[in-house]
């Protein structure tokens, strides 16, 4: 019988936790004191790459493995801290030789391979702002983001370039250079990239020097640009600064409980914020070894990695856990995980059954935590020594002040002071990894704040013990496999099809991936709905947006419900789809 709470026996933990007493640590915490965990640049200033790589490479951990790369064809390569320092220096030299420097935007579109890590770290060193993109995006989301971010340079693979970038190049006039990584993919039949208008990264790296003087960046200088989706309009480019490293360091310590000898594995895609903050930065800040697996999800393969690489700290996501659960306990029981001591999950609600499944099948419960692109790092977490309430996201980490607010249109925000409360989750602004703006969208940025509070757009409940529970999104943004999808971007791609008059997109609950994208489409006058047209529209969206973003289902409707002011009522479509009460229809246009 599963209880409502999982208590921890601290004496039975294999290592003393970094945070034994969450309440005392939270009360006694100060960011100024925490800053002692970072070194700062020798000449003054702060640069993420120096903290993550060089300070270890110049000290006792020079020969310690920083990255262990497992390639899709089964090869294994260890890169130690000093090698990572030299290789990222080379990349920074390549950038400089091409005239890319302070403040320039470098986009990276490639899977989990060494060049991605070198591009991110080398860009930090050169003072450039780096923006990793999701390689499952189709040509349109890629071009939109490079254009919005005014990308000056793109690093990608030869096959991704050919399939997703080359045809859109004219729509990205800011792009001065494209650096190609050779394909390992045998089907691409190319060992050296050879596309017009591109340069071969390997050749440039071979010629570059191992020495580089890191740009003297300050904590408030921009370092990272992450795109996230809203309900309306174009994606939002959230800008993060070098000073964010302090949050990454502290959360690596408290939320992930990283210790120097850990073998750590973050399974997030590098194109999303978790893949950068916790797939690259946090583990390197702690000088640990990160496993980087190039292959896609496969249950048996993942268990083998956990076992053979002796992973000790594992950071993954609910969709992946549900897929492992589906593969059955028999498969898990063929493997042993004696080195594993902490499992965390993020990105979407983690069902209580999944927490218990971890305890029963893997021998460790799964610790849910919460954050978002804008927060830059973990804010609320179930930590190693805290009792877990399965289904809850945990409690605010040291340095984070969370609250629940009542946020109604045209009324001032009200902070709910009762211990138990339900409403919008808000955070007191000022933690180091807080985003500093949405590129070119000042009004949208301003609207995220009320006084000193940052409004997260998530609805949550706080219980009497101070645990936070996810309730839902306050907006129409869709979460599929942990990835945020903006309905507007999907609707716009559908509307480009000549048969479509209007489109509205919702997230339809799905047991495995959280939500799938479902589109409602009304057709232009004289065009008949048919199965052939449905298949054509699905194919059209997939080609433009990529499989991860495109709708999985399309329904035809004669007209879409709109408010009198002309806004499509996605909420009503969703309520009808799910057979839920339709709510307040007073603003619905006649006849819809
Ligand atoms: P992103 O900015 O893409 O990382 O998405 C952030 C959003 O994912 C949050 O605002 C939540 O809606 C959702 N999310 C993240 N972590 C959790 C969690 N532990 N439980 C429920 N939802 C989550």
């Amino acid at each position: 019988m599963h209880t409502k709470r999982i208590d921890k026996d601290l004496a039975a933990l294999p290592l003393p936790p970094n945070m034994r007493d969450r309440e005392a640590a939270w009360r006694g915490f100060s960011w100024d004191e925490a800053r002692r965990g970072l070194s700062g640049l020798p000449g003054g200033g702060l640069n993420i790459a120096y903290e993550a790589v060089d300070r270890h490479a110049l000290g006792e951990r020079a020969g310690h493995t920083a990255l262990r790369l497992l390639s899709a064809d089964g090869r294994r390569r260890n890169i130690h801290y000093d090698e990572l320092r030299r290789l990222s220096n080379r990349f920074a030299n390549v950038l400089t030789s091409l005239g890319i420097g302070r403040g320039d935007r470098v986009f990276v579109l490639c899977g989990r391979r060494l060049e991605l890590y070198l591009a991110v770290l080398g860009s930090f060193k050169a003072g450039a702002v780096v923006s990793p993109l999701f390689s499952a995006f189709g040509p349109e989301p890629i071009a939109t983001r490079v254009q919005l971010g005014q990308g000056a340079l793109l690093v990608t693979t030869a096959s991704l370039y050919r399939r997703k970038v080359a045809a859109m190049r004219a729509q990205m006039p800011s792009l001065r250079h494209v650096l190609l990584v050779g394909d390992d993919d045998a089907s691409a039949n190319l060992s050296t990239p050879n596309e017009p208008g591109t340069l071969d990264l390997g050749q440039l790296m071979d010629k570059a020097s191992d020495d580089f003087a890191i740009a003297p960046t300050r904590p408030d200088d921009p370092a990272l640009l992450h795109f996230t989706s809203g309900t309306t309009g174009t994606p939002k480019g959230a800008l993060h600064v070098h000073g964010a490293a302090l949050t990454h360091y502290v959360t690596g310590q408290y939320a992930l409980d990283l210790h120097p000898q850990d073998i750590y594995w973050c399974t997030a895609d590098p194109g999303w914020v978790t893949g950068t903050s916790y797939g690259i930065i946090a583990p390197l800040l702690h000088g640990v070894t990160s496993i980087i697996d190039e292959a896609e999800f496969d249950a048996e393969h993942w268990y083998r990695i956990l076992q053979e690489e002796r992973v000790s700290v594992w950071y993954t996501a609910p969709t992946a856990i549900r897929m492992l659960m589906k593969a059955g306990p028999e498969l898990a029981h063929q493997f042993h995980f004696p080195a594993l001591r902490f499992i965390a999950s993020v990105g979407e609600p983690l069902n209580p059954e999944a927490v218990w499944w971890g305890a029963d099948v893997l021998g460790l419960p799964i610790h849910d935590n919460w954050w978002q692109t804008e927060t830059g790092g973990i804010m609320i977490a179930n930590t190693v020594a805290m009792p877990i309430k399965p289904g809850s996201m945990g409690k605010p980490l040291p340095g984070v002040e969370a609250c629940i607010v009542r946020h109604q249109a045209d009324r001032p925000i009200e902070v709910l002071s009762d211990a138990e409360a339900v409403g919008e989750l808000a955070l007191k602004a000022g933690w180091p990894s807080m985003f500093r703006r949405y590129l070119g969208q000042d009004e949208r940025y301003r609207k995220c704040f009320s006084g000193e509070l940052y409004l997260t757009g998530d609805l949550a409940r706080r219980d009497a013990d101070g645990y936070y529970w996810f309730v839902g999104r306050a907006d129409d943004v869709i979460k599929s496999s942990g990835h945020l999808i903006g309905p507007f971007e999907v609707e716009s791609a559908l509307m480009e099809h000549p048969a479509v008059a209007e489109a509205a997109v919702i997230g339809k609950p799905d047991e495995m991936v959280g939500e799938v994208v479902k589109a409602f489409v009304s057709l232009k006058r004289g065009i008949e709905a048919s199965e052939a047209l449905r298949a054509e529209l699905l194919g059209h969206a997939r080609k433009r947006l990529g499989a991860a973003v495109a709708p999985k289902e399309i329904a035809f409707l004669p007209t879409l419900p709109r408010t009198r002011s002309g806004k499509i009522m996605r909420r009503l479509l969703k309520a009808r789809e799910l057979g839920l009460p339709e709510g307040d229809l007073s603003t619905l246009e006649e006849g819809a």
Side-chain angles (χ1 to χ4, degrees):
M1 215 329 241
H2 289 147
T3 52
K4 286 214 156 56
R5 206 173 118 133
I6 303 178
D7 286 303
K8 305 284 182 61
D9 174 2
L10 296 198
L13 294 176
L15 280 178
N18 289 331
M19 183 165 66
R20 280 186 75 83
D21 180 344
R22 181 261 170 204
E23 310 306 325
W26 192 84
R27 278 193 307 273
F29 183 85
S30 104
W31 286 111
D32 277 338
E33 247 169 71
R35 207 158 275 127
R36 291 203 208 126
L38 300 182
S39 313
L41 281 169
L46 184 80
N47 187 288
I48 297 177
Y50 181 83
E51 302 298 326
V53 182
D54 289 33
R55 68 171 174 152
H56 303 303
L58 301 169
E60 282 170 12
R61 295 183 89 69
H64 191 75
T65 300
L67 309 177
R68 175 167 302 154
L69 297 136
L70 311 178
S71 65
D73 61 6
R75 279 171 300 145
R76 194 164 178 266
R77 180 172 175 197
N78 286 330
I79 305 284
H80 58 57
Y81 275 90
D82 192 48
E83 210 174 345
L84 191 56
R85 177 186 71 84
R86 286 184 276 112
L87 289 170
S88 53
N89 279 352
R90 280 181 184 241
F91 188 89
N93 277 315
V94 168
L95 288 184
T96 313
S97 71
L98 295 171
I100 304 291
R102 294 288 286 265
D104 285 331
R105 314 257 164 75
V106 172
F107 280 74
V108 190
L109 174 75
C110 69
R112 294 179 202 88
R113 44 188 300 164
L114 180 59
E115 292 83 355
L116 169 97
Y117 300 82
L118 303 183
V120 170
L121 296 163
S123 297
F124 291 153
K125 288 187 168 182
V129 178
V130 67
S131 185
L133 291 173
F134 187 33
S135 48
F137 275 151
E140 288 204 4
I142 293 169
T144 306
R145 285 159 178 77
V146 173
Q147 176 66 357
L148 284 169
Q150 290 292 293
L153 184 140
L154 171 71
V155 181
T156 186
T157 67
S159 67
L160 285 171
Y161 182 77
R162 273 195 304 277
R163 285 189 284 127
K164 304 190 174 187
V165 181
M168 307 291 279
R169 187 85 187 253
Q171 292 181 35
M172 298 176 264
S174 60
L175 217 48
R176 307 208 294 268
H177 303 284
V178 174
L179 307 187
L180 293 191
V181 177
D183 274 307
D184 291 336
D185 175 7
S187 61
N189 211 10
L190 260 187
S191 53
T192 346
N194 182 17
E195 297 289 326
T198 68
L199 297 166
D200 179 345
L201 177 61
Q203 279 178 11
L204 295 171
M205 289 282 283
D206 285 347
K207 283 190 265 162
S209 155
D210 274 356
D211 296 318
F212 186 80
I214 296 183
T217 43
R218 316 285 316 167
D220 277 335
D221 283 341
L224 277 161
L225 177 63
H226 280 295
F227 285 90
T228 182
S229 297
T231 312
T232 55
T234 55
K236 303 176 278 189
L239 201 66
H240 290 277
V241 296
H242 280 274
L246 186 56
T247 303
H248 300 145
Y249 182 80
V250 167
T251 52
Q253 190 179 14
Y254 290 154
L256 300 176
D257 196 45
L258 291 176
H259 284 62
Q261 295 311 319
D262 273 326
I263 306 280
Y264 166 83
W265 185 25
C266 169
T267 61
D269 190 278
W272 299 90
V273 70
T274 309
T276 317
S277 296
Y278 296 99
I280 307 180
I281 301 172
L284 293 176
L285 289 173
H286 284 273
V288 305
T289 300
S290 266
I291 300 295
I292 293 158
D293 179 44
E294 196 186 2
E296 291 307 319
F297 174 85
D298 173 81
E300 190 174 338
H301 175 65
W302 275 33
Y303 286 136
R304 184 152 290 123
I305 292 180
L306 288 172
Q307 173 178 285
E308 288 180 4
E309 300 303 334
R310 301 188 55 77
V311 171
S312 54
V313 176
W314 185 32
Y315 195 21
T316 188
T319 295
I321 294 166
R322 288 191 290 263
M323 292 199 287
L324 290 175
M325 289 167 75
K326 191 172 165 210
E330 303 76 23
L331 182 63
H333 289 146
Q334 290 171 23
F335 297 86
H336 298 283
F337 316 109
L340 198 57
R341 62 177 179 79
F342 187 67
I343 310 177
S345 158
V346 73
E348 22 164 351
L350 183 68
N351 333 50
E353 307 86 79
V355 177
W356 282 111
W357 173 85
D360 294 342
V361 175
L362 303 180
L364 293 169
I366 297 169
H367 296 72
D368 189 17
N369 61 49
W370 176 95
W371 58 291
Q372 51 181 199
T373 302
E374 286 84 347
T375 71
I378 305 170
M379 299 281 108
I380 295 179
N382 288 284
T383 56
V384 70
M386 241 171 79
I388 299 180
K389 292 197 186 185
S392 143
M393 309 186 289
K395 289 185 170 193
L397 285 172
V400 176
E401 283 182 53
C403 60
I404 300 285
V405 301
R406 188 171 293 141
H407 182 183
Q408 286 170 335
D410 308 327
R411 299 242 191 104
I413 302 277
E414 185 192 344
V415 177
L416 302 180
S417 54
D418 290 347
E420 291 181 68
V422 182
E424 184 169 351
L425 176 63
L427 303 168
K428 189 169 165 208
W431 68 95
S433 65
M434 194 176 84
F435 74 131
R436 299 306 157 94
R437 58 191 178 105
Y438 287 135
L439 268 196
Q441 304 194 51
D442 294 344
E443 180 58 16
R444 250 174 147 181
Y445 177 76
R446 212 185 44 71
K447 278 195 175 154
C448 296
F449 295 89
S450 167
E452 59 174 8
L453 290 180
Y454 163 67
L455 306 168
T456 67
D458 277 356
L459 304 175
R461 175 167 73 82
R462 180 179 54 220
D463 71 17
D465 298 323
Y467 282 73
Y468 284 76
W469 302 71
F470 184 76
V471 171
R473 297 270 320 175
D475 58 21
D476 293 340
V477 171
I478 298 159
K479 254 277 145 134
S480 188
S481 296
H483 301 144
L484 274 192
I485 298 173
F488 182 78
E489 201 168 11
V490 181
E491 289 158 5
S492 306
L494 284 168
M495 304 263 296
E496 283 167 24
H497 190 282
V500 174
E502 292 188 303
V505 161
I506 63 160
K508 180 175 164 185
D510 178 270
E511 261 192 19
M512 194 55 66
V513 297
E515 290 184 311
V516 290
V517 178
K518 171 157 188 174
F520 295 86
V521 163
S522 71
L523 297 171
K524 289 199 180 136
R525 199 184 291 263
I527 296 182
E528 288 288 315
S530 67
E531 280 313 308
L533 182 55
R534 191 195 316 275
E536 187 180 321
L537 289 177
L538 287 168
H540 160 89
R542 210 180 147 94
K543 196 161 152 233
R544 306 234 162 177
L545 298 165
V549 180
K552 300 275 180 294
E553 287 180 33
I554 293 183
F556 294 112
L557 290 179
T559 54
L560 299 183
R562 288 180 170 278
T563 60
R564 283 180 230 276
S565 60
K567 272 193 182 168
I568 293 181
M569 294 180 82
R570 298 191 187 100
R571 259 163 221 281
L572 180 57
L573 286 167
K574 188 159 180 170
R576 287 179 180 166
E577 175 74 25
L578 304 182
L580 297 172
E582 296 190 351
D584 176 12
L585 297 183
S586 56
T587 59
L588 183 66
E589 204 178 38
E590 299 286 309

